[in-house]
Amino acid sequence: MGDVKVLGFWSSPFVHRVIWALKLKNISYEYIEVDRFNKSELLLQSNPVYKKVPVLIHGGKAIAESLVILEYIEETWPENHPLLPKDNHQRALARFWIKFGEDSIASITDLFLGPSKDEQERASAKKKAEETIMVMEEQGLGDKKFFGGNNIGMVDIAHGCLSHWLEGLEEIVGMKLIEPNKFPRLHAWTQNFKQVPVIKENLPDYEKLLIHLEWRRQGYVT
């Protein structure tokens, strides 16, 4: 177990990406919780550039940034639950949708975490977020159960914050973005994703997360 360590913070969806990938591949690891306000020497030494979690330490060597870590996990343990398709073109498409999600997530989170907006600004921000969600549903997910097909893969893991975390923000703000009548396939995906045993067993406590997200939101809007 000591060969693989994960430096994380309990509420971070980016840290959970790493946890889910390791769990899916049945890789034992030591989890080390990091105090975000009193960063440890281990974190500062392991990620001196960004000084953020997650960090994966494997064999004494540190890797930072969740998507980079996911690629490292896949390349290091390719035989256990592959997270990317074998076909080169399909792998490239998967990476495209990961990049699309990463580039677009700000338009979604800003709707819930950004400074208070008037009705016109709020409507415009919601429209932009819905356009992003529509592209994900129609062109990324399509008619598949998961972005990766019948089993979850790296695209699903990368988009995991659209399930548990986004639902918490929707509840706090009182505004639904991924509505089942408007985005039925992506809404079904959020529920299917959370029901995968490895995901379900490794989600932060919802009530505790709500308190944390409300605290984060207040920090953005004030």
Side-chain angles (χ1 to χ4, degrees):
M1 179 180 292
D3 189 48
V4 179
K5 296 182 176 70
V6 176
L7 309 186
F9 183 69
W10 70 272
S11 69
S12 169
F14 307 108
V15 170
H16 279 78
R17 287 173 173 175
V18 178
I19 291 172
W20 295 332
L22 291 171
K23 291 282 188 180
L24 284 167
K25 288 183 173 290
N26 199 29
I27 305 301
S28 297
Y29 63 94
E30 177 186 356
Y31 177 77
I32 301 172
E33 180 77 359
V34 171
D35 184 344
R36 295 176 62 191
F37 303 102
N38 186 21
K39 297 177 180 179
S40 67
E41 277 301 312
L42 180 59
L43 174 62
L44 298 177
Q45 291 171 5
S46 302
N47 189 2
V49 177
Y50 293 118
K51 304 176 178 63
K52 297 189 305 184
V53 294
V55 174
L56 180 79
I57 302 175
H58 181 212
K61 297 178 180 179
I63 305 100
E65 292 296 293
S66 63
L67 295 181
V68 176
I69 294 171
L70 292 184
E71 291 276 2
Y72 178 86
I73 290 172
E74 177 68 357
E75 292 173 0
T76 304
W77 299 283
E79 64 283 352
N80 304 342
H81 191 106
L83 300 176
L84 288 170
K86 290 183 178 179
D87 179 78
N88 287 341
H89 181 253
Q90 291 300 315
R91 288 170 75 92
L93 287 179
R95 290 186 172 109
F96 171 87
W97 287 111
I98 291 169
K99 181 73 164 56
F100 179 86
E102 200 72 358
D103 291 345
S104 306
I105 197 68
S107 69
I108 297 172
T109 56
D110 183 62
L111 179 63
F112 296 94
L113 293 176
S116 298
K117 300 176 173 64
D118 60 32
E119 286 302 314
Q120 185 174 353
E121 288 177 324
R122 195 180 184 89
S124 177
K126 187 177 182 184
K127 183 174 183 292
K128 183 177 180 181
E130 287 178 338
E131 289 171 353
T132 298
I133 294 297
M134 183 176 293
V135 171
M136 286 182 178
E137 179 178 83
E138 293 185 355
Q139 301 186 47
L141 181 63
D143 294 322
K144 303 186 294 295
K145 183 177 181 180
F146 299 109
F147 285 91
N150 292 324
N151 299 306
I152 66 172
M154 196 177 294
V155 183
D156 302 281
I157 291 172
H159 289 41
C161 64
L162 294 178
S163 57
H164 202 58
W165 286 262
L166 181 59
E167 288 176 7
L169 289 170
E170 289 174 331
E171 181 173 338
I172 290 169
V173 177
M175 175 176 58
K176 191 73 175 172
L177 181 61
I178 304 182
E179 298 184 77
N181 61 329
K182 187 173 288 187
F183 303 109
R185 287 172 290 177
L186 198 61
H187 181 269
W189 171 84
T190 65
Q191 304 311 304
N192 290 331
F193 181 77
K194 291 192 300 180
Q195 290 306 310
V196 174
V198 162
I199 306 301
K200 187 176 183 179
E201 294 162 9
N202 294 280
L203 287 170
D205 178 81
Y206 187 69
E207 295 304 320
K208 184 181 176 183
L209 182 63
L210 284 180
I211 295 170
H212 177 76
L213 290 174
E214 176 61 29
W215 174 78
R216 286 287 304 278
R217 181 169 177 268
Q218 290 303 318
Y220 277 99
V221 301
T222 56

